[in-house]
Amino acid sequence: MDKEKLLSRAQSMIMSSSKNPKYMTISTVKTADLFGVDPSEIDQGLNELVKEGRLKKEKMSKPPHHEVYLLP
């Protein structure tokens, strides 16, 4: 999985969000379908981008407690 393409896609999804501040839940299954790869590759790529500090990952404090991604 090309991390730069994944980062670009994640950034565009976050920027198109109407929420304030901008954040997005990213479905690894739907994203994997778009890229034609296994969902575990998307999950691994997103985790690597978070570790590198290129994305932020937080858990929502209110139900449904989804993990959301934000721009640093």
Side-chain angles (χ1 to χ4, degrees), residues 3-72:
K3 284 196 307 187
E4 295 306 316
K5 285 184 181 179
L6 180 59
L7 178 62
S8 175
R9 175 69 68 160
Q11 287 175 331
S12 66
M13 290 190 315
I14 293 168
M15 290 305 295
S16 68
S17 171
S18 61
K19 299 164 183 75
N20 194 13
K22 301 259 185 210
Y23 67 89
M24 188 74 178
T25 58
I26 297 177
S27 168
T28 55
V29 174
K30 288 181 182 177
T31 307
D33 190 43
L34 289 172
F35 285 108
V37 297
D38 191 70
S40 63
E41 289 183 51
I42 299 296
D43 191 42
Q44 180 183 2
L46 288 170
N47 286 332
E48 288 176 12
L49 290 169
V50 169
K51 284 181 186 175
E52 293 172 5
R54 298 170 83 185
L55 285 177
K56 287 174 136 182
K57 182 177 177 181
E58 295 180 5
K59 193 161 188 120
M60 294 176 73
S61 59
K62 297 180 182 177
H65 303 290
H66 288 294
E67 292 180 339
V68 295
Y69 292 88
L70 303 103
L71 297 176

